[in-house]
Amino acid sequence: MPGELACIETSCRARYAITDVLYNCPSCGGLLEAVYDKPAESAEDLKCLWRERRMSNDPLDQSGVWRYREFIPFLGDLSHVVTLREGCTPLLPGKLAAEYGGLDAVVFKHQGFNPTGSFKDNGMTCGASQAVALGMSRVACVSTGNTSASMAAYASSAGLQPVIFIPYGNISFGKLAQALEYGAKTIQVEANFDQILALVRTLAERLGIYLLNSINPFRIEGQKTIMAEMLDQRDWHVPDWVVLPGGNLGNISAFGKGLRELKELGLIDRLPRLAVVQAAGSAPFYDLMHSSDRSRLNAIGHPETLATAIKIGDPVSWPKALHEIEASQGVVEKVTEQEIADAKAVIGRCGIGCEPASAATLAGIRKLTAAGIMRPDADVVAVLTGNVLKDPGYIHEYHTGVLRDPQGTPIQSNFGNPPTVLPNDSERIAAFLSS
Ligand code: F0G
């Protein structure tokens, strides 16, 4: 049974066919989610089946998303799957990062090990597969860079035309370069992410293009498997906290849904607390969680942060995210540009590395432990959402001491590691290395 689409609004809960091309509920405008009957297998059978598949050479089993296909059963025909062997990302301990964050230990679930270097691949394999199943020929997204890189790769590999919209001058070259290389028709619009999303939604409907932003419920299904894989790798031992950066809030929605469903299926017996960290200049969800009225999010008209991946002022998935934070007794934190930059350098010193948005996790952990909200002996998994090479310009500027925040204030290179220029002279180089 491939399931149905359901409106998330408790006052509505209207149901639609899984093959309807919908992003919002036609009845009340609410967000939609995929819902399914319980799988036939028991929790123990699923655990065994998913573990055994790691030994298989079948492309579906080698994917860290489709290996968990009983957990995301929206496709009637698995021959529609588009996979680049996404997922299968490691859990990496970071000793220095733990010390910096005020924890005894921390483990990073590094989604930057994905085929296009970000967690978006977990969702995109599902979104692109649904596009194929629906017989679409063109797919589109607006993006701060990672969604577009991922969509371009998956669409091209499936023979679909990728059309991407990006805020002109506001995405890193690494991400733009990926979109061009993977063959996307790339439109740079002189507007911010939120303004372009509104534009693309009307254009997609008018031109019959399938929209693959995280408002697409199948993207969320794929991103759920990040939590399934993390727990599988920990022999289903539930951490106390899962920490992640928040932008458009699709990922927190996916993690929360995934964890709740794993609990309902009996694969875990409790939920970890979810902690979302936003950049202080782009923190509308933080503001919502700290306001007395949570019935409506006040968008930020001009979001600012050097962590361009999360430079979003009007996150579409906030109602889902709010539900997941409340259901998991979670928290939302915000961190400054300086805090992100230093945390990122510390993650780098662990030999791990990540892009700026991902480092908001460690910066947030440091604040949460200092505030006594997170205990030093807590079992914490932080999700690094993007690869270190996504934004090399930022890294070079930080280590050479010229990085400035969006207001032009210099960022201190507290963990700076600038390169040294020396002449081609062995004596001088030897003297430098012995000093
Ligand atoms: N981290 C990175 C590296 C991202 O690229 C994004 C989002 C996020 C965190 C936030 O995730 O939106 O689910 O809360 N990037 C989107 C994009 C918006 O277009 O690539 P979220």
Side-chain angles (χ1 to χ4, degrees):
M1 254 300 281
E4 286 179 301
L5 290 172
C7 174
I8 66 156
E9 294 300 327
T10 39
S11 56
C12 176
R13 285 312 272 175
R15 299 272 186 127
Y16 305 95
I18 203 91
T19 46
D20 284 353
V21 180
L22 295 173
Y23 313 104
N24 284 92
C25 174
S27 166
C28 78
L31 296 168
L32 297 173
E33 65 177 2
V35 291
Y36 316 101
D37 291 338
K38 275 200 167 192
E41 299 85 352
S42 70
E44 281 316 305
D45 288 349
L46 286 174
K47 286 180 186 177
C48 289
L49 186 63
W50 294 344
R51 185 61 61 91
E52 275 166 18
R53 285 181 182 155
R54 290 200 204 178
M55 302 288 289
S56 159
N57 279 332
D58 180 338
L60 285 188
D61 295 343
Q62 288 189 336
S63 160
V65 171
W66 296 101
R67 181 181 304 142
Y68 303 99
R69 48 193 174 268
E70 291 76 11
F71 187 47
I72 50 168
F74 63 86
L75 276 185
D77 178 354
L78 288 171
S79 72
H80 292 130
V81 168
V82 187
T83 174
L84 295 170
R85 315 298 186 270
E86 51 290 321
C88 308
T89 61
L91 288 176
L92 303 172
K95 196 167 175 302
L96 269 180
E99 273 167 34
Y100 181 79
L103 291 173
D104 298 344
V106 68
V107 167
F108 293 109
K109 173 77 173 150
H110 204 327
Q111 294 302 112
F113 281 61
N114 261 299
T116 77
S118 84
F119 73 98
K120 305 290 182 180
D121 294 342
N122 286 69
M124 204 53 76
T125 182
C126 288
S129 300
Q130 180 71 359
V132 171
L134 295 174
M136 297 288 170
S137 57
R138 280 198 293 183
V139 290
C141 69
V142 51
S143 177
T144 56
N146 280 323
T147 298
S148 47
S150 181
M151 192 193 82
Y154 281 83
S156 287
S157 97
L160 309 175
Q161 164 78 69
V163 184
I164 69 169
F165 296 80
I166 49 180
Y168 181 50
N170 272 298
I171 79 166
S172 75
F173 267 117
K175 298 173 189 177
L176 175 57
Q178 284 183 291
L180 302 178
E181 188 80 357
Y182 297 138
K185 198 179 274 288
T186 304
I187 304 167
Q188 307 197 73
V189 186
E190 289 169 325
N192 69 26
F193 177 93
D194 308 299
Q195 295 161 329
I196 306 172
L197 182 55
L199 174 87
V200 171
R201 288 183 69 162
T202 54
L203 271 178
E205 198 169 321
R206 196 164 116 198
L207 303 176
I209 307 177
Y210 193 54
L211 198 57
L212 281 177
N213 273 101
S214 58
I215 194 155
N216 183 308
F218 304 101
R219 288 263 321 275
I220 300 297
E221 290 307 288
Q223 286 169 217
K224 275 179 1 187
T225 64
I226 299 170
M227 289 296 98
E229 185 180 78
M230 177 272 289
L231 287 158
D232 188 2
Q233 288 165 319
R234 291 170 50 103
D235 298 322
W236 301 96
H237 181 73
V238 180
D240 298 323
W241 290 91
V242 172
V243 187
L244 71 162
N248 216 15
L249 304 176
N251 216 20
I252 171 70
S253 306
F255 286 10
K257 180 175 193 272
L259 290 161
R260 281 187 293 105
E261 290 176 353
L262 289 169
K263 185 163 174 273
E264 280 157 26
L265 295 177
L267 284 117
I268 53 176
D269 56 9
R270 66 185 178 94
L271 296 177
R273 297 179 73 183
L274 294 170
V276 171
V277 189
Q278 297 208 286
S282 303
F285 191 47
Y286 174 91
D287 293 343
L288 176 79
M289 295 305 296
H290 291 82
S291 113
S292 52
D293 176 12
R294 291 182 179 173
S295 65
R296 113 174 211 280
L297 175 131
N298 287 319
I300 292 180
H302 297 285
E304 287 293 0
T305 172
L306 297 178
T308 48
I310 50 173
K311 189 172 166 180
I312 294 176
D314 192 7
V316 280
S317 293
W318 73 263
K320 286 185 177 178
L322 173 63
H323 176 68
E324 302 308 347
I325 289 291
E326 289 178 344
S328 73
Q329 297 180 316
V331 297
V332 182
E333 187 52 276
K334 65 175 177 182
V335 291
T336 65
E337 296 298 307
Q338 182 70 54
E339 288 168 332
I340 292 174
D342 287 337
K344 180 171 141 51
V346 172
I347 294 168
R349 289 269 178 103
C350 296
I352 294 175
C354 64
E355 69 163 282
S358 311
T361 51
L362 180 60
I365 288 171
R366 187 171 156 96
K367 284 186 88 167
L368 291 170
T369 54
I373 296 169
M374 195 177 273
R375 289 169 45 142
D377 62 352
D379 181 358
V380 180
V381 174
V383 179
L384 299 181
T385 44
N387 190 282
V388 68
L389 286 175
K390 286 280 188 177
D391 197 350
Y394 178 106
I395 303 179
H396 189 257
E397 288 184 16
Y398 176 84
H399 287 289
T400 53
V402 298
L403 190 64
R404 288 175 179 270
D405 75 10
Q407 280 71 46
T409 310
I411 291 194
Q412 305 302 314
S413 302
N414 293 323
F415 300 90
N417 181 28
T420 305
V421 182
L422 289 173
N424 184 10
D425 176 335
S426 59
E427 288 310 313
R428 291 274 299 277
I429 295 173
F432 170 76
L433 287 175
S434 353
S435 65

